[in-house]
Every structure is written in C-alpha cells, then in structure tokens.
Amino acid sequence: MNQHPPVYRVEVTFVGSLPARQVERASGVSEVVVHRQQLRCLVRGSVQPFLEALHGYEVITLTSSPALSGGQQ
C-alpha cells in the first residue's frame, strides 16, 4: 500500500507583519492566501519547515485540520 504524506489546511493570525514570503518558500507549503492579518495555506508532510518560517513573528491563533485530498479525508 502506498502511503501519502498527510496534508493539513492551516490558518494563522498574526500581530503586525506576516511572513508570507518565508511561508511560500517553505518545503511542503502550497496555496498560500493572505487576507489582512491572516494567512491560510496547505502543508504536506512535516510541519517543521512551516513552523520555522513563522519564527520571529507574533502568532495570535493557529488552527490546523486535515485537508481533503482527492475527495477523501
């Protein structure tokens, strides 16, 4: 059986500036959308590169949920 890495839909709200460019360049991150102080994206596999991109920025909220992939959860 072929295991696919997990994919998560992540939403983060910040105080002040957002690390949009750092997040876009992080390994496994795609579909980055910024709206005001909120950043949404998909993270595939390890979340470590995503978390490293947030370093130095003040996070107010962070939510993560499994993303639907190919109609399956």
Side-chain angles (χ1 to χ4, degrees):
M1 193 192 280
N2 188 7
Q3 288 283 338
H4 296 286
V7 179
Y8 295 97
R9 184 164 302 283
V10 180
E11 190 172 292
V12 186
T13 305
F14 296 88
V15 171
S17 62
L18 287 75
R21 289 187 186 212
Q22 292 93 311
V23 170
E24 288 173 338
R25 290 188 294 237
S27 177
V29 175
S30 64
E31 299 184 30
V32 176
V33 176
V34 173
H35 180 70
R36 297 186 181 155
Q37 297 308 114
Q38 189 176 71
L39 182 145
R40 291 184 304 250
C41 65
L42 292 179
V43 178
R44 178 178 305 274
S46 174
V47 297
Q48 188 62 38
F50 172 76
L51 293 174
E52 289 173 1
L54 303 183
H55 182 75
Y57 291 84
E58 187 173 350
V59 173
I60 297 174
T61 63
L62 186 149
T63 59
S64 173
S65 59
L68 297 178
S69 176
Q72 299 177 2
Q73 198 165 13

